[in-house]
Amino acid sequence: MQEPEKTNLYLVPTPIGNLEDITLRAIRVLKEVDVILAEDTRTSGKLLQHLGIEKRMHSHHLHNEHKALAHLVERLKAGEVMALVSDAGTPGISDPGFLLVRECLKHGIKVECLPGPTAFVPALVKSGFSTDRFTFEGFLPLKKGRQTRLQSLAEEERTMIFYESPHRLLKTLTQFKEYFGGEREASVSREISKMFEETINGTLDELIQIFTTKAIKGEFVIVVQGAK
């Protein structure tokens, strides 16, 4: 009987808030791999300590992933088994991971991505907007290409999902009003799966008014209803 092909790289989702949001399989994989590639070893170290796992960690983030690719691929080809984790959520979704996965597939290295926490899924479901067809836009470009992207989405009929930081939330909502219209329905979720989780629904005009007077803290997911 043929033995199953060995997986050398595991993408392991980690909790986005509540530490109970990690699967039994994810815990097992983190215990069994040779090394864990972490976006921030300090953040991942706290999670591993909570889970009672002692494991070697290497830093793997946006600023070093290009330089580390060739070396990591050689180690994986030599038989080393690794797990890639981000600070929170599923690696590769607005976090490091894409480049390493692509390079592994080029070299015939088996990659597995475990199912698990991703912030935009609960935000989308809680918005009440159509989930049949949606587009995940992640973080908008900060400067170059931002207006072009918004113009291209003005007539988008699918539900749109964006990530945003607290200090840019109001600016982004205001730009959405400019390109989508103030009457467009939207939903803003913050601190998903954490103690102060909150979702606010309304038109863009209403949301701008709310967040003009409201303290803006946490990480945000904005869900915008598609054009009718």
Side-chain angles (χ1 to χ4, degrees), residues 8 34-35 37 56 58 69-82 109:
N8 284 90
D34 299 314
V35 64
L37 305 176
R56 283 190 300 134
H58 292 320
L69 275 181
H71 178 61
L72 290 176
V73 168
E74 289 305 313
R75 289 171 58 181
L76 289 163
K77 288 170 68 175
E80 202 166 349
V81 180
M82 301 181 183
I109 298 169

Side-chain angles (χ1 to χ4, degrees), residues 15 26 32 80 108 155 208:
E32 293 178 351
E80 202 166 349
E155 301 303 322
I208 291 169

